[in-house]
Amino acid sequence: MLLFSIEFTQSAEKQFGKLESGVQERIISAVERLRIRPGEHLVKLVGGNAYKFRVGDYRAVCIIDYTKECIYVVKVGHRKNVYD
């Protein structure tokens, strides 16, 4: 079975660090599910190569690199302002 690695960009780590600890735990456990079959959990965003991942009222915006078998988390935040 192919497992993708997960990497947070520097800006995503900063955004993630500002969230409450309970929300951080939920996001981490949800992102771990992406490692096995990312295509089942991600929804492609219009007008780009990024995907969104829903965790309650929070979203993680990701980019998948199939050649490196890596998922890059580029943004993390509340759904009302993560797409700004």
Side-chain angles (χ1 to χ4, degrees), residues 6-17:
I6 308 279
E7 290 187 29
F8 281 72
T9 62
Q10 193 172 8
S11 61
E13 275 187 31
K14 197 173 189 180
Q15 294 165 348
F16 181 77

Side-chain angles (χ1 to χ4, degrees), residues 23 26-28 30-31 33 53-60:
V23 174
R26 286 179 43 213
I27 290 173
I28 289 295
V31 167
R33 289 185 300 217
F53 181 63
R54 184 174 167 252
V55 183
D57 284 340
Y58 291 85
R59 302 292 184 268

Side-chain angles (χ1 to χ4, degrees), residues 9 15 17-18 39 44 51 55-56 62 68 77-78 84:
T9 62
Q15 294 165 348
K18 293 179 181 178
K44 190 159 178 57
Y51 296 82
V55 183
C62 308
K68 294 182 181 178
H78 194 274
D84 295 342

